[in-house]
Amino acid sequence: MLYKFKSRATADVIMLEPNGRQLLQIMGKSTDPHGIVTAAQIPAALQALEAAIAADEAKGRPDAAEEDAAGEDDAAGERSDTVRLRQRAAPIIDMLKRSAAEGHDVVW
């Protein structure tokens, strides 16, 4: 399944189910196939996303020296090419900010 986020302020944002579901849960929204973030709810949704991103980044990532010491044998560790929450949430955050500025809702 795909989530297709729509707003009159921006182009559509399409996400795979696991990523869309994660962002909806962070925003405190239902993961149903259809839903809405009203213009009035956007500030709270943005705040929740920013808090989750901060928490994700607080987990940290080993610095370059530790990565070199660990080598590539550390399959359980985080890879340097892993897509972080900040990157996954960026299109939705942009959509929410632009929608809030124009007073439009975001639906999926």
Side-chain angles (χ1 to χ4, degrees):
M1 180 174 114
L2 296 174
Y3 282 101
K4 188 174 188 178
F5 297 91
K6 297 181 176 196
S7 172
R8 292 182 184 212
T10 65
D12 295 350
V13 174
I14 299 172
M15 296 189 133
L16 294 173
E17 181 181 11
N19 306 121
R21 180 180 302 273
Q22 178 188 23
L23 295 177
L24 288 172
Q25 289 172 340
I26 290 169
M27 291 188 286
K29 292 305 209 172
S30 170
T31 57
D32 292 340
H34 303 287
I36 186 169
V37 178
T38 64
Q41 296 170 335
I42 289 176
L46 284 169
Q47 186 178 17
L49 287 169
E50 290 297 337
I53 289 169
D56 180 60
E57 290 176 348
K59 288 181 195 173
R61 198 177 147 240
D63 65 8
E66 290 176 8
E67 284 181 4
D68 290 341
E72 293 185 26
D73 295 334
D74 187 15
E78 182 179 340
R79 295 177 33 187
S80 63
D81 61 348
T82 300
V83 178
R84 303 292 299 209
L85 180 60
R86 175 175 296 283
Q87 295 164 306
R88 291 202 191 282
I92 295 297
I93 290 173
D94 180 58
M95 175 181 267
L96 290 169
K97 286 180 179 178
R98 293 166 104 190
S99 296
E102 295 185 25
H104 295 296
D105 300 335
V106 175
V107 297
W108 65 92

